[in-house]
Amino acid sequence: ETEILPLRFLIGGDAIVSKGKSGGEGTLLRPSLQKNGKIFKGDATVWQRIDSAGLPTSKPSEGAVTVLCFRECHDPSEKYELLAVGCKSGTLSIFKIRRTGLERNMEEETSEDIEVVTRAQAHAKAITSMCFTAGGDSIITSSSDWTVRVYNIKEERFTEEFTDTSLVVCAVSLPKPGALITANANAVLQLRGSSAEQQKVRLDHYARSLMLALGGRRLLAGTSRGHVHFFEISAQGLERLNHEGLQVGQNCAALTCLTLAPCPDNPPLVLANCMDNTVCIMQANEQLTNLTVQRRLANAHRLLPLRSSHVPGYYEDGDKGAGFVASGAEDGKVRVFDLESFTEQSLESRAVPTVPVVDVAVTKQGSLMASGDVHGRVFLWRRGGDTNGLVNGH
């Protein structure tokens, strides 16, 4: 049984700060901690971690977190964020996390209540990927039990199930209702819930990560041999744009996650978690048909399917920048990389600093971050109002 315990304490360390295009300082996460109705400013640190216990199993690895996902919140007055947690045991848990007054643009101070929405045995084996549908009403999960399932949050039940011919490595939801793309261990991409003719494409090696861009018209697939393939998604189905694939992983290292990082006034960056102990930062062209490697930043990653998230930089003066990427790491840290200066910081759990962190997720507003580890624990991170600390590039 998954349970979140609201144990709160401050974590030592300075704010993570970035320089924007016009020189303004941008910080990791929008301030959301409150005290007496105002932005909280700690004496020693701006970070607060909300500790959450994971699955009580006889062996910690049985309840390992495999994937985290926040639902996009479009209404500023929404009271809760929804966090979905998928585990190695095949369980799916959904939590409501109360948003603070700062997140709702209100003066009131609210508690950080956490409520269990769902605990369900989604699959017989590990959940390999997970995403909310376009409207946020359902969650799509894929699994090594060869199935993909769709869970309707309001109805509290699974409404659809697809059985594949092999282990399903990952799946993504398309903007069209009911449409999704799956990737299996036989190196087959399949477009489901669509009347398109070209519904299946075979790759040279199986895809370990899928990423949508350009409003769902472009698909990037990162493979087990370190290639990135580009696809156009249209009424005709999946059209391959590069037949050989772009080599990204060094020495054919697998790509376990692809993340899009929008950049103001420029084409986006694409970030890849590579099983060669790096996070690779690449510049895309406007059509997202090619990538140019900018930097390879050190990150402990050899064995696990680590994931990452883009975190928009928060600028009080309205400035914009490329922001940050927050990634899991096998050394027990959340690695944070500044996408302006390519410098690195890290957040660490003092309770169990060496337990590998598998996934990191961030809310759309950029005020709440979650990290999940192989012992089945999820940690929620918020920030106060102080911005004293390291300025990247200095």
Side-chain angles (χ1 to χ4, degrees):
E1 182 175 295
T2 306
E3 183 179 7
I4 287 190
L5 304 177
L7 306 175
R8 306 175 181 88
F9 56 95
L10 297 177
I11 301 296
D14 295 319
I16 298 178
V17 184
S18 173
K19 283 291 187 182
K21 293 176 69 64
S22 63
E25 288 188 351
T27 54
L28 177 75
L29 297 183
R30 180 184 298 269
S32 60
L33 285 177
Q34 289 181 269
K35 187 175 183 180
N36 300 323
K38 298 180 179 180
I39 297 178
F40 175 79
K41 296 188 177 183
D43 295 332
T45 176
V46 297
W47 289 100
Q48 185 179 46
R49 188 188 73 183
I50 305 170
D51 196 2
S52 47
L55 299 169
T57 57
S58 57
K59 295 181 180 179
S61 61
E62 292 177 358
V65 172
T66 55
V67 59
L68 301 171
C69 187
F70 278 107
R71 183 176 69 175
E72 286 196 10
C73 183
H74 299 283
D75 184 358
S77 63
E78 181 68 40
K79 292 184 178 181
Y80 294 93
E81 297 281 2
L82 276 189
L83 173 66
V85 181
C87 290
K88 183 180 178 181
S89 59
T91 57
L92 168 66
S93 300
I94 305 173
F95 300 96
K96 278 184 178 179
I97 303 171
R98 184 184 293 275
R99 304 174 76 203
T100 67
L102 287 170
E103 291 174 299
R104 299 170 61 196
N105 297 323
M106 302 176 69
E107 294 295 330
E108 66 181 42
E109 181 178 5
T110 54
S111 62
E112 289 146 337
D113 296 333
I114 300 171
E115 175 186 342
V116 179
V117 177
T118 296
R119 291 191 184 103
Q121 189 65 39
H123 296 276
K125 294 184 179 180
I127 294 176
T128 54
S129 74
M130 179 173 61
C131 62
F132 283 90
T133 55
D137 300 323
S138 299
I139 297 176
I140 297 172
T141 58
S142 67
S143 173
S144 52
D145 67 1
W146 297 23
T147 65
V148 176
R149 304 188 77 185
V150 181
Y151 182 84
N152 186 287
I153 299 171
K154 185 176 181 180
E155 297 179 12
E156 298 184 345
R157 66 185 182 93
F158 291 96
T159 55
E160 291 184 87
E161 180 175 322
F162 306 95
T163 301
D164 211 310
T165 58
S166 179
L167 181 157
V168 185
V169 184
C170 47
V172 292
S173 175
L174 297 175
K176 178 183 176 181
L180 64 148
I181 297 173
T182 61
N184 69 19
N186 288 334
V188 174
L189 297 183
Q190 183 167 357
L191 177 59
R192 302 176 184 270
S194 171
S195 58
E197 295 180 3
Q198 182 61 26
Q199 293 188 336
K200 289 186 179 181
V201 175
R202 184 175 292 275
L203 302 176
D204 53 351
H205 299 92
Y206 71 90
R208 295 197 61 164
S209 53
L210 299 174
M211 186 196 83
L212 290 177
L214 302 182
R217 303 191 309 275
R218 184 75 74 248
L219 173 73
L220 274 64
T223 75
S224 59
R225 297 291 286 175
H227 293 102
V228 175
H229 293 271
F230 303 80
F231 295 88
E232 177 78 17
I233 304 174
S234 65
Q236 286 70 44
L238 291 171
E239 178 185 352
R240 193 194 299 257
L241 300 178
N242 65 332
H243 288 275
E244 295 184 359
L246 177 68
Q247 184 69 49
V248 173
Q250 300 177 107
N251 301 318
C252 297
L255 308 180
T256 60
C257 182
L258 295 176
T259 303
L260 188 71
C263 297
D265 307 322
N266 287 299
L269 297 173
V270 174
L271 321 167
N273 285 85
C274 306
M275 295 183 75
D276 57 11
N277 286 325
T278 67
V279 171
C280 183
I281 301 177
M282 299 167 284
Q283 179 69 64
N285 60 358
E286 291 186 4
Q287 297 77 29
L288 270 168
T289 56
N290 194 25
L291 301 171
T292 303
V293 175
Q294 300 290 307
R295 292 290 180 90
R296 296 183 187 272
L297 302 175
N299 186 44
H301 184 191
R302 280 290 185 186
L303 301 173
L304 300 174
L306 303 186
R307 304 174 192 269
S308 60
S309 287
H310 175 245
V311 189
Y314 170 70
Y315 299 86
E316 292 185 350
D317 59 2
D319 191 13
K320 293 183 178 180
F324 306 85
V325 58
S327 174
E330 292 173 1
D331 60 3
K333 298 178 181 179
V334 176
R335 298 284 181 181
V336 179
F337 302 100
D338 179 3
L339 298 177
E340 297 282 352
S341 64
F342 304 118
T343 53
E344 179 260 339
Q345 294 286 322
S346 62
L347 305 175
E348 185 173 349
S349 166
R350 286 184 174 179
V352 278
T354 60
V355 175
V357 177
V358 179
D359 196 5
V360 181
V362 181
T363 58
K364 178 180 176 62
Q365 193 179 21
S367 57
L368 177 64
M369 184 168 69
S371 59
D373 66 27
V374 298
H375 280 191
R377 287 168 299 204
V378 177
F379 299 99
L380 304 180
W381 303 82
R382 291 190 183 275
R383 193 178 71 77
D386 286 337
T387 57
N388 297 322
L390 298 177
V391 177
N392 291 339
H394 293 262

